[in-house]
Amino acid sequence: MLLPYMRNGKLFLEKIGVGEINEEVVKEKYLEPIKALALDLIPVEDDTQALKLLKSYGFEVAPNAKSIIDAFLKRRKGVCSICGKEGEVVENRAFIYPFERKIDSIVNERNRLTFCLEHAFKLYSAMAYLYVVPIGGKDKLKFFFEGEGRAFRRFSYLFREFWKDRSELKNGKVAVKLSLKPYHGNEAFFSVLYDFVDFLRGRRMLQEAYDIERNIRAYLVYGSGQFYGSTIVEGTRLVELTKFLATLAEKKVVKGFFDDLVIPRGKDRKKNTLEREEFFAKLLDGKFDFILLNQIFIERVKRKLRVPRYYLPWARAYFDAFGGDILNPEIFERINGMGYSLGKKVKGTNLEKYFWELFRARGFEEFMNKLVELQAKLEISMDVRPFYENERNWKVLKAILLNGMLNAIHGGEDEGD
């Protein structure tokens, strides 16, 4: 993450006309990256304003810090952690490379990163292309994109235009308006991508995004203190996510499903959305976790809450964009349809108990026996060959079947379409 981040700093310095880096350049330009971080919405005229702004963005700045420029001017003898050259080095500070404590976790102070003036200022300047989203309490999602040449410059322009469109000055701070309300890092990035895709759709730029995103990576760091997480989203995955979200945005089915992936446990919304965060962490990796969704569905039913809306459009959009993970869309449709049909037949009867019999089945044979037993009770015959043909993934198929049943018993009529 160090080198991709630094490349962003180099690109920003090139953008503002900085070539060679020396003390005079640092003194003259050191406020520019901070202004860019804040989208020029907040005046930054001195270190006091700059440090206050950095703290508002979640940079772990020391309470007694009074100067940014001193970090670059007060150097000592050492070795640059990037180029390996001996000479005068700058000790790392949160505003130079904010991810050291996040990614490296607990590091002996004597082993902390040090940089020559050139690389320290390039790293520092990378905050110009850093984006920050509050996710509850002191936690923040910090993310940036990285790529090469024209594709990255074009992508940065498009994303920055979107970010400006979504940002406003509120109570002296820059606030980002998202359509969804996230409480964790991965779901926050998904929320950002959703609004970005909607922004591109409105300007008919989706095809251009598909073309350039293949050359882009996204780096995410989220949390606070020593409790953190990190994710890297590759370019091909960004394209798949963009296509996935474009389909959902067109159908207008994003917010309903997102909002319903909550298991109420109390007032702490971060705890209530732990499963939702896990689901989106996997989705950013190209996986649609039907087993996890089944757990969420069941917990909501136990609490007499509705089954999450728009499950089917989400699942179908996933297969269209990602091509599936361990299952193909035809198998999904057959198993989901079977589950929905069974749910309709048992709804309101004493045979509803068979849903729980199927749920509690711990082995493949036990599950199949219960499924055959239910068909016998209903005096019907269904083609169960897909279960035997996909026995290795029977738990996934079981979850899909149960989700279909839950939608028939507790969901909306349209969910069986």
Side-chain angles (χ1 to χ4, degrees), residues 145 155 158-159 162 189-202 204-218 233-251 254 280 283-286 314 317-323:
F145 300 97
F155 180 86
L158 291 176
F159 192 85
F162 152 71
F189 187 67
F190 180 89
S191 304
V192 169
L193 279 184
Y194 167 57
D195 283 341
F196 181 46
V197 168
D198 214 30
F199 173 86
L200 295 172
R201 283 180 66 249
R204 298 182 179 180
M205 292 179 173
L206 278 174
Q207 186 57 54
E208 182 181 4
Y210 299 149
D211 294 338
I212 61 179
E213 281 179 347
R214 299 184 189 280
N215 302 303
I216 306 298
R217 288 187 185 88
V233 183
E234 297 289 342
T236 52
R237 188 71 72 226
L238 276 177
V239 174
E240 291 167 337
L241 286 164
T242 300
K243 290 180 177 179
F244 173 66
L245 282 165
T247 299
L248 295 179
E250 186 175 349
K251 294 178 180 291
V254 174
F280 283 108
L283 188 58
L284 292 183
D285 193 35
W314 271 65
Y318 166 76
F319 284 113
D320 287 343
F322 293 84

Side-chain angles (χ1 to χ4, degrees), residues 51-273:
L51 288 168
K52 181 179 179 181
L53 190 148
L54 290 176
K55 290 176 184 177
S56 74
Y57 274 96
F59 284 75
E60 296 177 4
V61 180
N64 59 350
K66 295 181 179 180
S67 172
I68 292 174
I69 193 66
D70 281 353
F72 295 101
L73 300 183
K74 294 180 179 179
R75 302 190 292 276
R76 62 176 177 80
K77 294 292 183 179
V79 177
C80 177
S81 298
I82 293 178
C83 65
K85 292 182 180 178
E86 294 187 19
E88 291 188 333
V89 295
V90 174
E91 292 186 355
N92 185 38
R93 297 289 184 271
F95 46 77
I96 293 176
Y97 181 59
F99 305 134
E100 180 185 8
R101 283 175 169 79
K102 297 288 186 186
I103 302 303
D104 294 343
S105 189
I106 301 171
V107 178
N108 189 300
E109 289 294 335
R110 292 173 295 179
N111 297 329
R112 292 224 174 264
L113 299 174
T114 56
F115 312 106
C116 63
L117 184 62
E118 175 187 351
H119 290 129
F121 198 61
K122 285 180 178 177
L123 280 168
Y124 166 83
S125 299
M127 76 172 74
Y129 291 133
L130 184 65
Y131 304 95
V132 182
V133 179
I135 49 177
K138 295 182 178 180
D139 290 356
K140 301 279 194 301
L141 164 67
K142 294 186 178 76
F143 66 94
F144 66 93
F145 300 97
E146 185 258 344
E148 300 293 338
R150 290 172 54 187
F152 178 73
R153 286 193 290 271
R154 180 59 178 165
F155 180 86
S156 294
Y157 171 79
L158 291 176
F159 192 85
R160 197 165 184 81
E161 287 301 300
F162 152 71
W163 204 244
K164 288 178 181 177
D165 183 67
R166 287 285 172 166
S167 299
E168 63 181 1
L169 192 60
K170 190 174 182 179
N171 298 325
K173 297 180 181 180
V174 177
V176 181
K177 299 172 292 182
L178 296 177
S179 300
L180 309 176
K181 179 61 175 175
Y183 295 94
H184 304 275
N186 288 290
E187 62 176 13
F189 187 67
F190 180 89
S191 304
V192 169
L193 279 184
Y194 167 57
D195 283 341
F196 181 46
V197 168
D198 214 30
F199 173 86
L200 295 172
R201 283 180 66 249
R203 288 155 180 78
R204 298 182 179 180
M205 292 179 173
L206 278 174
Q207 186 57 54
E208 182 181 4
Y210 299 149
D211 294 338
I212 61 179
E213 281 179 347
R214 299 184 189 280
N215 302 303
I216 306 298
R217 288 187 185 88
Y219 294 82
L220 289 57
V221 179
Y222 36 88
S224 62
Q226 293 298 339
F227 298 94
Y228 66 89
S230 63
T231 302
I232 299 175
V233 183
E234 297 289 342
T236 52
R237 188 71 72 226
L238 276 177
V239 174
E240 291 167 337
L241 286 164
T242 300
K243 290 180 177 179
F244 173 66
L245 282 165
T247 299
L248 295 179
E250 186 175 349
K251 294 178 180 291
K252 302 185 185 303
V253 294
V254 174
K255 187 170 174 26
F257 189 70
F258 183 92
D259 288 347
D260 286 350
L261 292 184
V262 174
I263 301 175
R265 297 183 175 93
K267 295 182 179 179
D268 189 342
R269 294 181 179 179
K270 292 185 81 70
K271 290 184 179 179
N272 295 344
T273 53

Side-chain angles (χ1 to χ4, degrees), residues 179-181 187 190-191 194 244-245 248-249 251-263 272-273 275-280 283 287-298 300 306-318 332 336 403 407 414-415:
S179 300
L180 309 176
K181 179 61 175 175
E187 62 176 13
F190 180 89
S191 304
Y194 167 57
F244 173 66
L245 282 165
L248 295 179
K251 294 178 180 291
K252 302 185 185 303
V253 294
V254 174
K255 187 170 174 26
F257 189 70
F258 183 92
D259 288 347
D260 286 350
L261 292 184
V262 174
I263 301 175
N272 295 344
T273 53
E275 288 83 3
R276 186 172 73 183
E277 165 68 359
E278 184 181 352
F279 175 77
F280 283 108
L283 188 58
K287 299 176 178 65
F288 200 86
D289 194 332
F290 290 102
I291 296 175
L292 178 59
L293 286 178
N294 183 240
Q295 294 170 4
I296 296 172
F297 286 16
I298 287 174
R300 287 181 62 85
R306 66 185 170 207
V307 173
R309 296 161 288 173
Y310 310 124
Y311 160 68
L312 268 185
W314 271 65
R316 287 167 176 163
Y318 166 76
F332 166 77
N336 178 75
N403 289 345
N407 266 319
D414 60 327
E415 293 296 346

